[in-house]
Amino acid sequence: MILIRTYKDMTSGEKRSLTLSMKKYADAFAEKHKGDLSSFASEADVIDTFYAEWLKDSLDS
């Protein structure tokens, strides 16, 4: 079972883990796209894609 808590309700350790996970994936996302985000229609698309891929990667691991 996966428990989803709001950031406000997380412990400092959970927040740190979440932040490190997102940072790690942000580096991989940047490398994957090589800094060229022209394939995205808007900034919102970049953000949506990042979060969707980060979530999938997090749940898979």
Side-chain angles (χ1 to χ4, degrees):
M1 177 172 89
I2 297 173
L3 177 64
I4 299 176
R5 296 166 48 162
T6 64
Y7 191 79
K8 178 183 164 190
D9 295 332
M10 290 180 174
T11 65
S12 61
E14 290 169 329
K15 289 177 182 177
R16 185 173 35 260
S17 178
L18 177 66
T19 301
L20 290 174
S21 171
M22 291 183 85
K23 165 85 172 81
K24 178 182 171 189
Y25 193 76
D27 293 341
F29 188 83
E31 178 64 28
K32 177 181 175 181
H33 294 284
K34 307 259 190 261
D36 180 15
L37 303 177
S38 63
S39 63
F40 296 96
S42 68
E43 185 177 334
D45 288 339
V46 174
I47 294 168
D48 289 345
T49 301
F50 171 82
Y51 281 118
E53 290 180 6
W54 167 74
L55 183 60
K56 182 182 180 319
D57 185 67
S58 294
L59 292 174
D60 287 348
S61 62

